[in-house]
Amino acid sequence: MNIGTAAEKSGLPPKTIRYYEDIGLLRPDRADNGYRDYSSADVHRLRFLQRSRSLGFSVEECRQLLSLYGDKERESADVKAIAEAKLAEIARKLVELAGLRDMLRHLADHCNGDDRPDCPIIDGLAGHGTVQ
Amino acid sequence: MNIGTAAEKSGLPPKTIRYYEDIGLLRPDRADNGYRDYSSADVHRLRFLQRSRSLGFSVEECRQLLSLYGDKERESADVKAIAEAKLAEIARKLVELAGLRDMLRHLADHCNGDDRPDCPIIDGLAGHGTVQ
DNA sequence: CTACGGTTTCCAGTTACTGGAAGGTCAAGT
DNA sequence: ACTTGACCTTCCAGTAACTGGAAACCGTAG
């Protein structure tokens, strides 16, 4: 499949897909005419990249996660350790995302009209407590 | 409070905090010695920025969300519309993050030893269906 | 055989930081 | 009073992750 189709299916622009190939995240076939030819496994990788990038993981983190599948030589304990570390980070992100949702829900529901400017939502803006 | 303390409390490096001031997301006081002086409201804004940036929202999206509080002239309907749009996006992110968690959970739990390379997890890597 | 949309490479520009140099500030120790 | 070390300041350069645009090739429909 051509890059345009892969772009549609993955939700990533063609430019970004080529960029991911440049930095070695992907290695699509080439057709006789020189066009890139994407398999459905390629599209899965691209969808994964689209999702994890949009959730705030870095390209290097994505590369590591993708390698958990690709590298058959890798130690299982290694795979498990990396996966567990990311799981902890995901759990944290889920909590923060839910907090953000609650805060915006409150803003949308209760701060209409004259009330809004007085709403002390900013106190709950970013949760409570200190980092570290 | 000095920038170092604000950095600790917000989880952002001082460099990033100065950058956010450069692009107009923040306007801390200055002490007589020229040092930036952060209020607790400033720290709340910074914590909000740290969280929403790490969850994949762009700086411009963050600017818009912060303006929902700051701008007393803004129409309530406008505030509500923006908040609702972001809520939909957050709901989507929550689903994708949970999907990522399940996938990694499966990888960590069931793909140990010889089993792993054969696991067809990549099929579930990025969920199913097509974007758009 | 000519449009026109999709594809190629390459190079430049943008966003959002990040590192490092050169120097000013401040509180603690001698 | 003086020095030391951790903090702060500005400025300028570099990096990460795209993004836009030019010039040229490919492929199908009329």
Side-chain angles (χ1 to χ4, degrees):
Chain A
M1 121 192 29
N2 281 352
I3 199 170
T5 311
E8 265 177 52
K9 294 201 187 218
S10 66
L12 288 169
K15 281 267 181 187
T16 303
I17 296 178
R18 289 192 198 100
Y19 171 71
Y20 287 162
E21 182 179 348
D22 279 353
I23 62 173
L25 289 176
L26 211 64
R27 199 175 276 278
D29 282 354
R30 290 285 176 142
D32 292 343
N33 58 10
Y35 285 19
R36 290 168 178 83
D37 183 21
Y38 295 88
S39 67
S40 73
D42 289 329
V43 172
H44 279 126
R45 289 175 83 84
L46 290 171
R47 277 185 70 69
F48 171 75
L49 286 164
Q50 189 280 318
R51 290 188 174 217
S52 41
R53 288 291 296 125
S54 85
L55 292 167
F57 292 97
S58 75
V59 164
E60 288 315 307
E61 288 176 301
C62 293
R63 189 194 301 277
Q64 194 177 35
L65 288 171
L66 281 174
S67 83
L68 296 188
Y69 303 96
D71 186 355
K72 294 204 187 332
E73 305 307 313
R74 190 183 286 272
E75 290 286 334
S76 276
D78 194 9
V79 169
K80 194 169 167 64
I82 292 170
E84 292 289 353
K86 282 300 163 220
L87 280 165
E89 198 175 335
I90 288 171
R92 223 180 315 120
K93 279 178 191 275
L94 278 168
V95 169
E96 294 187 351
L97 205 42
L100 195 57
R101 179 200 53 202
D102 295 345
M103 163 201 133
L104 276 179
R105 183 81 272 153
H106 184 79
L107 182 64
D109 288 350
H110 301 299
C111 293
N112 44 354
D114 298 339
D115 293 347
R116 184 176 54 79
D118 298 334
C119 268
I121 288 179
I122 204 163
D123 294 341
L125 242 185
H128 298 288
T130 299
V131 170
Q132 258 53 283
Chain B
M1 127 191 26
N2 282 351
I3 200 171
T5 311
E8 264 178 53
K9 294 201 187 213
S10 65
L12 288 169
K15 280 270 182 187
T16 303
I17 296 178
R18 289 192 198 99
Y19 172 71
Y20 286 163
E21 182 179 347
D22 279 353
I23 62 172
L25 289 175
L26 211 63
R27 199 177 275 279
D29 281 356
R30 291 284 176 142
D32 291 345
N33 58 12
Y35 285 18
R36 289 167 179 84
D37 183 22
Y38 295 88
S39 67
S40 72
D42 288 330
V43 172
H44 278 126
R45 290 175 83 84
L46 290 170
R47 277 185 71 67
F48 171 76
L49 285 164
Q50 189 279 318
R51 291 189 174 214
S52 40
R53 288 291 297 124
S54 86
L55 292 167
F57 292 95
S58 75
V59 165
E60 287 315 307
E61 288 176 302
C62 294
R63 189 194 299 278
Q64 194 177 37
L65 288 170
L66 281 174
S67 82
L68 297 187
Y69 303 96
D71 187 354
K72 295 203 188 331
E73 304 309 313
R74 191 182 285 273
E75 289 286 333
S76 278
D78 195 8
V79 169
K80 193 168 168 66
I82 293 170
E84 293 289 354
K86 283 301 162 221
L87 279 166
E89 198 174 336
I90 288 171
R92 222 180 316 122
K93 279 177 191 276
L94 278 167
V95 169
E96 295 186 350
L97 205 42
L100 194 57
R101 180 199 54 203
D102 295 346
M103 162 200 134
L104 276 179
R105 183 81 272 153
H106 184 79
L107 182 64
D109 289 349
H110 302 299
C111 292
N112 44 353
D114 297 338
D115 292 347
R116 185 175 53 80
D118 298 333
C119 270
I121 288 180
I122 205 163
D123 294 340
L125 242 187
H128 298 287
T130 299
V131 170
Q132 260 55 283

